[in-house]
Amino acid sequence: MNSKSLVSIDDISRDEILDLIERARYFEENPNSKVLDGKVVATLFFEPSTRTRLSFETAVNRLGGRVIGFSDASTSSSAKGETLKDTIKMVSNYADLIVMRHHLEGAARYATEVTDVPIINAGDGSNQHPSQTMLDLYSISKTQGRLNDLTITMVGDLKYGRTVHSLLMAMRYFNPTFNFVACDELQMPVEYKQFCDKNGIKYNEYSDFSPEVINSSDILYMTRVQRERFTDIMEYEKVKNLYTLHNAMLADAKDNLRVLHPLPRINEISQDVDDNPKAYYFDQARNGLFARQAIICRALDIDPQK
């Protein structure tokens, strides 16, 4: 595995996380440069994406690099039966960096085993989404002025939500308290609660999205119930609308509370929340550009400030 690959947020240390946040801050102030001049980045999206793919591609373009790849696996040779190994080895001949999203957990890790080109995991099934985590951490740092000692409430699909899994793991360095709000079918998986226990992370579990939980929070992290993760459509229909945030529910929230969401949203945040100053999810998505510029430069061992 190339040491600059980013497959899991667990691949990087506390100091590396803080360094990436500082780099993201630099890129927000200086989004355009030519530090990737002559570099080619392949974006391989075997699973649909809008924000992640476009922000990665915009990041490369703003840094002066070139993008190749595909956004629909049906247009690639995988539709003809080409193995993931062969696809990765073939693309490695053309690119300096590979950004990939795949529906199978572990696909990005496997890709690092068959190439020396650095791999950035843009989401593998319900497992990990480390670049989303970095933009989440940057958003939290910007809005709270710190990462330490925050209460973060995660709501909705905590079973399949790779963004909440990655964020939970990254926050272990910063003494958080988590509130997990989910129905029985979508609770935080046991292995992540064991991770909390092992790392001394405080957490509470609720099935009720109550005012008390909201009003104790610094960050309210809403998630979409992901239809594509369900094999039984009736199970999806049963749980898809259990948790919806309305503007009135934020009336007594802390002044510093910010509402985050990895997007896309469906019904879990009412549109009447959008104009509330506590709504931060569209700014959060914008922060993805700067966080991914930082991640790309780390993967290619480029210091943008030199």
Side-chain angles (χ1 to χ4, degrees):
M1 173 177 170
N2 186 300
S3 64
K4 297 298 183 180
S5 290
L6 181 57
V7 173
S8 166
I9 200 66
D10 210 27
D11 292 338
I12 56 177
S13 67
R14 179 182 186 276
D15 287 346
E16 287 177 301
I17 287 173
L18 295 176
D19 179 66
L20 283 170
I21 288 174
E22 287 307 310
R23 288 192 186 205
R25 188 171 288 114
Y26 169 82
F27 280 122
E28 183 164 10
E29 296 171 356
N30 305 276
N32 300 306
S33 72
K34 296 297 181 182
V35 296
L36 295 190
D37 189 29
K39 300 293 185 182
V40 176
V41 177
T43 54
L44 310 183
F45 280 74
F46 296 87
E47 190 177 52
S49 170
T50 302
R51 276 151 299 277
T52 301
R53 180 177 62 83
L54 291 180
S55 63
F56 265 117
E57 293 183 357
T58 301
V60 174
N61 286 321
R62 286 194 179 276
L63 294 176
R66 301 291 299 273
V67 177
I68 62 172
F70 54 82
S71 59
D72 182 352
S74 67
T75 65
S76 75
S77 289
S78 63
K80 303 175 183 177
E82 183 175 66
T83 64
L84 178 59
K85 176 182 178 180
D86 286 4
T87 299
I88 296 299
K89 291 187 77 67
M90 181 273 296
V91 173
S92 297
N93 292 323
Y94 312 139
D96 300 289
L97 171 66
I98 295 173
V99 179
M100 64 175 287
R101 169 171 287 190
H102 203 282
H103 61 279
L104 292 178
E105 294 185 19
R109 182 73 66 190
Y110 174 74
T112 67
E113 296 171 358
V114 299
T115 181
D116 292 328
V117 172
I119 302 288
I120 296 175
N121 181 9
D124 60 330
S126 59
N127 184 31
Q128 287 276 324
H129 197 348
S131 70
Q132 176 72 43
T133 302
M134 284 310 310
L135 76 90
D136 291 345
L137 292 171
Y138 183 49
S139 298
I140 293 169
S141 177
K142 280 183 66 177
T143 61
Q144 305 301 311
R146 70 187 201 277
L147 290 174
N148 290 311
D149 306 317
L150 297 172
T151 297
I152 300 175
T153 296
M154 296 174 164
V155 184
D157 184 358
L158 308 188
K159 180 178 181 179
Y160 300 111
R162 57 194 172 198
T163 62
V164 294
H165 300 162
S166 290
L167 181 59
L168 182 155
M169 295 179 73
M171 286 299 298
R172 72 186 184 276
Y173 299 116
F174 305 107
N175 192 39
T177 297
F178 284 109
N179 294 321
F180 301 145
V181 179
C183 60
D184 289 344
E185 294 88 345
L186 295 175
Q187 286 185 355
M188 185 66 71
V190 170
E191 59 266 32
Y192 291 101
K193 289 185 281 188
Q194 290 174 339
F195 180 90
C196 287
D197 294 335
K198 180 180 177 182
N199 289 276
I201 298 172
K202 300 179 290 292
Y203 67 91
N204 307 293
E205 293 188 275
Y206 303 95
S207 59
D208 184 21
F209 191 24
S210 69
E212 291 75 20
V213 171
I214 294 171
N215 297 342
S216 70
S217 304
D218 300 301
I219 294 292
L220 189 56
Y221 198 102
M222 303 297 297
T223 67
R224 170 177 67 97
V225 177
Q226 303 172 81
R227 180 175 180 174
E228 63 269 27
R229 306 296 177 210
F230 284 78
T231 55
D232 185 340
I233 192 62
M234 295 305 295
E235 285 297 309
Y236 167 74
E237 293 292 334
K238 177 182 173 183
V239 301
K240 68 176 183 178
N241 292 322
L242 287 180
Y243 302 106
T244 301
L245 179 67
H246 297 282
N247 190 50
M249 297 165 70
L250 297 172
D252 297 319
K254 293 181 179 182
D255 290 342
N256 66 296
L257 175 95
R258 292 297 179 269
V259 180
L260 304 186
H261 191 306
L263 300 177
R265 68 171 166 185
I266 307 298
N267 301 315
E268 60 279 358
I269 300 178
S270 172
Q271 292 195 16
D272 67 1
V273 177
D274 293 354
D275 294 327
N276 191 309
K278 294 180 171 65
Y280 195 74
Y281 29 91
F282 295 123
D283 298 283
Q284 176 190 4
R286 180 174 177 269
N287 289 338
L289 170 61
F290 315 125
R292 289 177 172 123
Q293 285 179 312
I295 290 168
I296 288 167
C297 285
R298 174 188 176 273
L300 293 171
D301 204 20
I302 293 171
D303 185 344
Q305 294 177 270
K306 286 186 177 178

